[in-house]
Amino acid sequence: MTDHGERRTATTSFAVVAGVVLGVAGVKALSWLVAPCLLALVIVVLTRPLSRRLGARGAPAALGILAAFVTGLGMIVALVAVVAFAAVRLTTVVRTYRSDLETLVLRVHSVLTEAGLTDAQSHTLTDVVTPDRLLRWSASVAPSLVSTGATVVFFLGLLLFLSIEATQVDQRLAGIRRARPAIAAALTNSARLTRRYFAVTAALAVVVGTLDAVLLGALGVPYPVLWGVLAAACNFIPYVGFVIGLVPPALIALLDSGPELAVAIVVVYVVLNSVVTTIVPAKVVGDVVGISMSATVVSLVFWAWVLGPIGSVLAVPCTLLVKGVLVDADPHARFLAPLLNSRKQNTSQERAR
């Protein structure tokens, strides 16, 4: 009987692992469809309190739906506008300082060659920041936005329909609660934690964007407000987003004022953003949503690989949803919770026991 039980457990474990692998592969293959759906779902979750408050004040349901839809659409338009405008400015700067950048690249190439690298290895490293490469990268932003825009009609329709369906979410959850109370509780908790996560992240984004803009303005870097807004937008990508926001102002400072100012910006950016976007969120966000820092970093890499760039922004909400439905709501999988929970969450659960 013991051998039979062990074989049955091994078979079950293998089936679960195989199912997870196939599920992840399927989501990755359909990322072009899944990512917009998840993005629309998260936007509806974020805007649901707005339509609920309007309904509580006696406003027609159509007004609540319209307000939620316009607010969600405004979020996407604002993010796209910031990225596109930053790419345009970066293109202008690279074209203006093209000769200086080419001279700098040649100088770096010579230094690397003298340090012992082969000519091919030096070219591999320096080709990343050549004017042609930077121009291709910045110019590719607009076409990529346009190609993403090929699904705009689908996304807007999905966002509108989800906004309409959200007005009946309480009734639908009541039906789920009668059949699967643990699943209903997990879905409700995931939505609540997602709103709390984005609220905290938005507050930290305003802080880091303002500080970066003030710093760059004091140092005389052109367009400090734009780079501050870009830094704020990139703050929604956990832990590594500030690197994206650092590149344009550091490159401009390097070309306009020399390496001393560029190094100063890099150092201050790293110190400032490490505190505001890494150390503080590790504590605050971990306490707010109950996910450990290591789980957040792993989820960032995983969801970015599965869903593409959108996965970087939705990493924490996706992890909250998966954790709630597959771990917290399943008594057989709750042993995995301590690996994902933050220290405060684990302590709270131990006290509850």
Side-chain angles (χ1 to χ4, degrees):
M1 294 293 293
T2 302
D3 293 340
H4 177 71
E6 291 178 352
R7 287 196 297 270
R8 183 176 180 179
T9 302
T11 301
T12 302
S13 301
F14 177 79
V16 170
V17 172
V20 170
V21 172
L22 290 175
V24 171
V27 172
K28 182 173 174 57
L30 294 174
S31 59
W32 59 272
L33 175 63
V34 177
C37 291
L38 289 175
L39 179 60
L41 179 61
V42 168
I43 291 175
V44 170
V45 168
L46 296 178
T47 57
R48 173 58 181 159
L50 174 61
S51 59
R52 182 174 293 174
R53 288 194 189 98
L54 290 175
R57 294 180 179 180
L63 180 60
I65 294 171
L66 180 62
F69 176 77
V70 172
T71 302
L73 183 61
M75 295 178 184
I76 300 300
V77 171
L79 180 61
V80 171
V82 169
V83 174
F85 193 55
V88 170
R89 287 298 185 189
L90 183 60
T91 301
T92 303
V93 169
V94 172
R95 287 175 176 171
T96 302
Y97 296 96
R98 185 183 185 108
S99 60
D100 295 335
L101 184 56
E102 289 175 345
T103 301
L104 179 62
V105 170
L106 291 175
R107 189 181 307 166
V108 172
H109 178 267
S110 300
V111 171
L112 293 175
T113 304
E114 292 174 0
L117 296 181
T118 64
D119 190 68
Q121 291 172 334
S122 299
H123 275 300
T124 300
L125 294 175
T126 56
D127 279 349
V128 178
V129 292
T130 58
D132 291 337
R133 177 64 65 87
L134 291 174
L135 288 173
R136 283 198 300 269
W137 177 83
S138 59
S140 67
V141 172
S144 64
L145 293 176
V146 172
S147 64
T148 303
T151 59
V152 163
V153 175
F154 164 74
F155 175 77
L156 293 180
L158 180 64
L159 181 61
L160 178 60
F161 290 138
L162 286 178
S163 299
I164 296 172
E165 291 291 333
T167 59
Q168 302 177 358
V169 67
D170 294 333
Q171 296 90 326
R172 295 178 185 275
L173 280 176
I176 298 175
R177 192 174 290 110
R178 288 191 294 269
R180 296 289 182 88
I183 295 294
L187 292 174
T188 302
N189 190 53
S190 298
R192 178 179 60 86
L193 292 179
T194 296
R195 286 191 287 266
R196 292 176 63 181
Y197 164 72
F198 276 106
V200 172
T201 303
L204 293 174
V206 172
V207 172
V208 73
T210 302
L211 292 176
D212 287 340
V214 171
L215 165 69
L216 296 174
L219 294 175
V221 178
Y223 318 117
V225 176
L226 171 61
W227 308 131
V229 173
L230 179 63
C234 292
N235 188 65
F236 287 90
I237 303 177
Y239 302 111
V240 299
F242 83 91
V243 177
I244 302 173
L246 165 64
V247 172
L251 181 61
I252 291 175
L254 176 64
L255 298 176
D256 189 50
S257 303
E260 294 80 7
L261 181 58
V263 171
I265 290 176
V266 170
V267 171
V268 176
Y269 248 72
V270 169
V271 173
L272 175 64
N273 289 272
S274 294
V275 173
V276 180
T277 66
T278 301
I279 298 177
V280 173
K283 172 63 177 174
V284 177
V285 175
D287 293 344
V288 167
V289 303
I291 298 180
S292 66
M293 179 178 177
S294 57
T296 303
V297 175
V298 172
S299 70
L300 170 64
V301 177
F302 174 78
W303 290 111
W305 173 71
V306 173
L307 298 178
I310 295 178
S312 302
V313 179
L314 302 182
V316 172
C318 288
T319 302
L320 288 172
L321 179 61
V322 172
K323 175 178 175 293
V325 174
L326 299 184
V327 177
D328 296 339
D330 187 356
H332 300 291
R334 286 179 185 166
F335 71 94
L336 296 172
L339 300 177
L340 303 174
N341 291 341
S342 63
R343 181 180 301 179
K344 181 178 180 180
Q345 181 75 5
N346 285 329
T347 302
S348 299
Q349 291 181 353
E350 290 175 0
R351 289 177 181 174
R353 296 192 190 100

